[in-house]
Amino acid sequence: MILDRSPGRRLFQAVNYVILILTSLLCILPFVNLLAVSFSGSAAVSAGEVAFWPVDFNTKAYAFAIKGGEFFQALWVSVQRVLLGTLVNLVLMVLTAYPLSKSKEKVAGRGLYMGFFVITMLFNGGLIPNYLIVVKAGLIDSIWSLILPGALPVFSMIILMNFIRGLPEEIEESATIDGAGPLQILIRILMPVLKPALATVGLFSIVGHWNSWFDGIIYMNDTANYPLQSYLQTLLLNFEQIMQRSNNDYTQLLAMMNIRTGRAAQLFLGALPILAVYPFLQKYFTSGLVLGSVKA
């Protein structure tokens, strides 16, 4: 293979490198600034002295977020939600995407089913009907109220369906000749091949469950059942009420921080688990997303 070493080609590569480096810095530097603010003193943050390195280093904002044990309880609720929610999402997506990946001749009413699912992407009943359904189902103050209303992410299901449609039909035909049924084909043959797509839609589900906070506030009457994002959200919304507590420990903490340092610590704590998980799924992410969007 002969490489093009012409001046035009070198200039093109140099411009590409510059653009990629600038784009990477635009993504990384705000996060570095967020981290620096969360570890800085309130006076330095208010004066605008913090850029990419902490000033008057302290961990008061994090101590404020995790004090009292409520943080760890909320963290445990979020972990349960992510594990159970992602598992339910993946099972329902696979069971729905596999039959819908077949042609109309093989699955009667396929177009009707697809239309039903697509409509749910465009329209929904709204907040009040959803809340009434959760109440009537007896799910209030239950972890399942955070999982079942969004048990089947239709967009991710369509990505998975298109990925399955892109696989050679000969794989299933040869298994059928050997006497394998649809369930055996799905579990023993297709599931290993679906790893990139499952990692992609699984990451979508993980991020969605982890970042969701509004449904926790709506469906949980007891604050002890709040997931982490809901807890962190209410923590700073009720800043003035916390200041009025008689606990001297809280007063000392609040004296060393302000709303900006508290919010920075909140955002970093919320993003940290996703940052830890993403590197393990990144190798599957691009291939799964691209291959799952090839066919309509």
Side-chain angles (χ1 to χ4, degrees):
M1 181 177 178
I2 300 177
L3 297 177
D4 185 1
R5 297 292 185 179
S6 63
R9 179 65 178 178
R10 292 179 179 178
L11 178 62
F12 175 76
Q13 290 180 335
V15 171
N16 275 348
Y17 287 138
V18 171
I19 293 175
L20 290 175
I21 291 172
L22 291 176
T23 303
S24 300
L25 291 176
L26 287 175
C27 296
I28 295 173
L29 291 181
F31 191 79
V32 175
N33 174 258
L34 183 76
L35 188 60
V37 168
S38 69
F39 282 112
S40 297
S42 60
V45 173
S46 300
E49 299 175 357
V50 181
F52 304 116
W53 193 257
V55 178
D56 298 332
F57 181 88
N58 69 79
T59 58
K60 300 301 182 182
Y62 293 95
F64 171 74
I66 67 176
K67 192 168 184 62
E70 297 175 354
F71 172 85
F72 296 104
Q73 172 63 24
L75 176 63
W76 172 236
V77 173
S78 282
V79 170
Q80 293 180 76
R81 175 181 184 171
V82 168
L83 294 178
L84 290 173
T86 303
L87 178 61
V88 170
N89 291 158
L90 289 176
V91 169
L92 292 181
M93 281 190 286
V94 170
L95 294 179
T96 306
Y98 178 56
L100 291 180
S101 66
K102 308 301 179 186
S103 62
K104 296 180 180 179
E105 292 74 20
K106 294 182 179 180
V107 177
R110 177 188 178 277
L112 180 63
Y113 293 126
M114 279 301 303
F116 172 79
F117 286 119
V118 170
I119 286 176
T120 64
M121 295 176 62
L122 306 175
F123 306 98
N124 64 75
L127 177 60
I128 295 177
N130 286 338
Y131 179 79
L132 292 177
I133 291 174
V134 172
V135 171
K136 294 297 183 181
L139 299 177
I140 292 295
D141 268 332
S142 167
I143 188 69
W144 295 107
S145 65
L146 308 176
I147 297 172
L148 294 183
L152 178 61
V154 178
F155 176 77
S156 298
M157 184 273 291
I158 292 175
I159 292 177
L160 189 61
M161 179 192 70
N162 287 333
F163 187 93
I164 297 175
R165 292 180 66 186
L167 299 175
E169 295 183 1
E170 291 77 10
I171 295 177
E172 294 189 48
E173 291 175 356
S174 60
T176 303
I177 293 174
D178 291 337
L183 190 59
Q184 289 178 303
I185 294 174
L186 175 62
I187 295 176
R188 303 183 62 180
I189 296 176
L190 293 184
M191 290 299 288
V193 182
L194 291 177
K195 284 182 180 180
L198 291 175
T200 301
V201 296
L203 183 61
F204 288 161
S205 294
I206 291 172
V207 173
H209 282 295
W210 185 263
N211 287 338
S212 182
W213 61 272
F214 186 67
D215 52 357
I217 294 177
I218 293 297
Y219 299 136
M220 297 298 178
N221 293 329
D222 187 354
T223 56
N225 295 325
Y226 275 3
L228 182 60
Q229 302 299 336
S230 301
Y231 166 72
L232 292 176
Q233 179 71 14
T234 56
L235 187 68
L236 292 175
L237 288 178
N238 299 328
F239 202 80
E240 293 182 358
Q241 297 174 354
I242 295 175
M243 290 180 68
Q244 296 173 0
R245 294 184 182 182
S246 59
N247 191 325
N248 292 329
D249 293 338
Y250 271 103
T251 304
Q252 294 174 3
L253 286 174
L254 292 168
M256 296 291 295
M257 56 174 286
N258 59 22
I259 192 69
R260 286 189 60 194
T261 58
R263 289 192 182 279
Q266 168 192 348
L267 292 172
F268 182 75
L269 287 172
L272 186 60
I274 299 300
L275 295 175
V277 171
Y278 183 79
F280 298 99
L281 300 177
Q282 190 271 340
K283 63 179 180 179
Y284 299 111
F285 185 78
T286 303
S287 59
L289 186 61
V290 172
L291 292 175
S293 61
V294 172
K295 292 188 177 182

